[in-house]
Amino acid sequence: AQGGPATVWVPPQPHPDMPIKGPRVLPVPGQVLLYFEICEPKVGFCKCEDLSMLGVLTVILLLFFFWPLAWLPCVITECHRRSQRPVYGFPPTDQDYVPTLVPGAAVSFPHHQMMYFPNQQ
């Protein structure tokens, strides 16, 4: 075997208990899953596609007991759930990975969720 440690690409895992949406841009051949982007829900009048179970239950109860306010959960952020969507790109290489460490800063994400940025020249 050649000297030096081998670099192995480990794809990220989705966040548990968070629904997955489709990617914004479909991957092309050769691209891999880089990370999962967290999507904040869009709230507003008639924006009910990301309602949580609490939001749906509130809409149903308001429809039965006071229907003029049934739209209210659609504009309340706490009644919606966040989601995630995959982001694809080309796999990083040893030459592309440039770790940037700031003295005294703590890294709070696991190694499999690191984002790789190509060298800027």
Side-chain angles (χ1 to χ4, degrees):
Q2 296 281 14
T7 302
V8 177
W9 173 247
V10 178
Q13 298 298 315
H15 299 278
D17 301 328
M18 191 179 294
I20 300 174
K21 290 185 175 182
R24 291 186 196 273
V25 179
L26 293 175
V28 298
Q31 288 186 332
V32 297
L33 177 62
L34 295 179
Y35 61 95
F36 284 91
E37 171 186 34
I38 304 298
C39 303
E40 295 298 327
K42 294 179 181 172
V43 298
F45 189 72
C46 293
K47 299 219 184 242
C48 299
E49 61 269 0
D50 289 329
L51 277 179
S52 65
M53 188 59 73
L54 173 66
V56 171
L57 182 63
T58 306
V59 167
I60 292 170
L61 288 175
L62 285 171
L63 279 173
F64 281 119
F65 295 109
F66 197 66
W67 64 269
L69 292 180
W71 56 271
L72 198 58
C74 296
V75 298
I76 299 174
T77 306
E78 288 78 18
C79 289
H80 291 263
R81 62 177 180 221
R82 296 184 337 169
S83 60
Q84 59 188 335
R85 70 174 68 237
V87 176
Y88 294 95
F90 291 100
T93 62
D94 288 337
Q95 293 81 22
D96 291 338
Y97 176 62
V98 179
T100 304
L101 296 176
V102 177
V107 178
S108 63
F109 49 86
H111 72 282
H112 65 276
Q113 290 180 348
M114 293 176 88
M115 295 186 344
Y116 296 91
F117 299 97
N119 289 331
Q120 308 245 342
Q121 300 190 8

